[in-house]
């Protein structure tokens, strides 16, 4: 999307933005490579027990509080000047949408196996959460795209959303218990690369530096007679 926006929308990325995109992709790739295997959940009853775990409930409450503060307090004041506000709202709410899709996928699988899932209240709760979270994401993502450069919004949103979803998955499925030291170091290294990529994208978004200017600054000056 960042590449297409530069061609079709004439929204150019400077050198820092391109490097930020590369670092974000590399960091996310490293995190995925070192991510532990997800614990298999085969029924809605198991999914319900996972969702009722105190650690996940605490995480969900914190996400909800932070998202509400951003929506009610921060967004009206700084949403139009800070690109991270709308994107953070979308990313935090995205954790609920992914968890809902996971549960609904299990429900559809059981439905195809002709198991009675229509009477399970979790199905309707997940559908309601999915509709609310997706509509909220679409609303604030459109606001971010209206206010800011698409080539900046897309990679930053990709990074924030991926990080939030990975964190939610680790807490929901207790994936940290099976991680070895090398995987922990790899995950943290990938996360640090992502943070550096976001910093380059956001901090230098108004800096105009071309490759020719960069090469001219490092070229050797002619020696004086």
């Amino acid at each position: 999307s960042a590449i297409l926006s530069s061609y079709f929308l004439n929204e150019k990325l400077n050198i820092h933005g391109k490097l930020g995109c590369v670092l974000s992709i590399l960091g996310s790739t490293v995190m995925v490579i070192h991510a532990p295997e997800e614990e298999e959940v085969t029924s809605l009853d198991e999914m319900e027990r996972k969702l009722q775990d105190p650690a996940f409930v605490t995480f969900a409450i914190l996400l909800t509080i932070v998202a509400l503060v951003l929506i009610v307090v921060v967004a009206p004041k700084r949403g139009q000047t800070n690109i991270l506000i709308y994107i953070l709202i979308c990313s935090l709410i995205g954790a609920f949408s992914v968890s809902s899709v996971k549960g609904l996928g299990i429900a559809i699988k059981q439905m195809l196996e002709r198991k009675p899932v229509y009477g399970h209240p979790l199905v309707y709760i997940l559908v309601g959460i999915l509709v609310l979270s997706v509509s909220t994401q679409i609303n604030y993502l459109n606001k971010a795209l209206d206010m800011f450069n698409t080539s900046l919004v897309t990679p930053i949103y990709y990074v924030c959303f991926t990080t939030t979803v990975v964190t939610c998955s680790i807490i929901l499925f207790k994936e940290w218990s099976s991680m070895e030291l090398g995987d922990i170091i790899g995950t943290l290294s990938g996360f640090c690369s992502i943070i550096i990529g976001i910093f380059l994208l956001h901090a230098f978004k108004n800096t105009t530096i071309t490759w020719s200017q960069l090469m001219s600054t490092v070229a050797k000056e002619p020696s004086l007679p």
Side-chain angles (χ1 to χ4, degrees):
S1 298
I3 295 173
L4 291 176
S5 64
S6 65
Y7 282 101
F8 294 103
L9 303 178
N10 198 26
E11 297 177 348
K12 302 299 182 182
L13 274 177
N14 56 18
I15 296 176
H16 299 89
K18 294 175 182 178
L19 291 176
C21 287
V22 172
L23 283 174
S24 300
I25 294 174
L26 292 178
S28 300
T29 304
V30 171
M31 288 188 69
V32 171
I33 290 174
H34 290 279
E37 293 184 1
E38 185 177 279
E39 181 180 349
E40 186 176 1
V41 179
T42 58
S43 66
L44 286 176
D45 294 329
E46 293 181 22
M47 188 67 182
E48 185 177 4
R49 288 193 293 270
K50 294 290 184 183
L51 294 174
Q52 292 177 350
D53 184 77
F56 179 76
V57 172
T58 303
F59 176 75
I61 292 174
L62 290 176
L63 278 187
T64 304
I65 292 174
V66 174
L68 289 175
V69 170
L70 290 174
I71 293 173
V72 177
V73 180
V74 182
K77 296 180 180 179
R78 299 185 179 180
Q80 297 182 354
T81 57
N82 194 328
I83 191 175
L84 293 177
I85 304 301
Y86 291 147
I87 294 178
L88 283 177
I89 294 174
C90 296
S91 302
L92 295 176
I93 300 298
F96 297 109
S97 63
V98 173
S99 302
S100 302
V101 169
K102 175 70 174 180
L104 291 175
I106 296 173
I108 294 173
K109 181 181 178 181
Q110 288 188 292
M111 189 184 305
L112 295 176
E113 295 173 353
R114 300 185 182 280
K115 294 182 179 179
V117 298
Y118 299 101
H120 205 297
L122 182 62
V123 176
Y124 305 99
I125 294 174
L126 292 177
V127 170
I129 293 175
L130 180 61
V131 172
L132 181 62
S133 59
V134 170
S135 59
T136 304
Q137 285 179 264
I138 292 175
N139 178 35
Y140 284 98
L141 183 59
N142 284 331
K143 288 184 177 181
L145 292 173
D146 290 338
M147 296 299 303
F148 303 102
N149 195 326
T150 306
S151 59
L152 290 175
V153 172
T154 303
I156 295 177
Y157 174 64
Y158 160 75
V159 168
C160 295
F161 178 81
T162 303
T163 304
T164 306
V165 170
V166 169
T167 305
C168 178
S169 179
I170 289 175
I171 295 175
L172 180 60
F173 298 104
K174 298 289 191 300
E175 294 175 347
W176 66 76
S177 58
S178 61
M179 292 183 69
E180 298 179 355
L181 180 61
D183 292 329
I184 294 176
I185 296 175
T187 302
L188 293 177
S189 300
F191 183 74
C192 291
S193 301
I194 289 173
I195 295 299
I196 295 173
I198 292 182
F199 176 78
L200 290 175
L201 276 165
H202 186 56
F204 300 98
K205 60 184 178 182
N206 296 322
T207 305
T208 55
I209 299 178
T210 62
W211 286 107
S212 59
Q213 293 175 341
L214 184 62
M215 295 304 297
S216 64
T217 56
V218 299
K220 184 179 180 180
E221 296 182 357
S223 59
L224 295 176

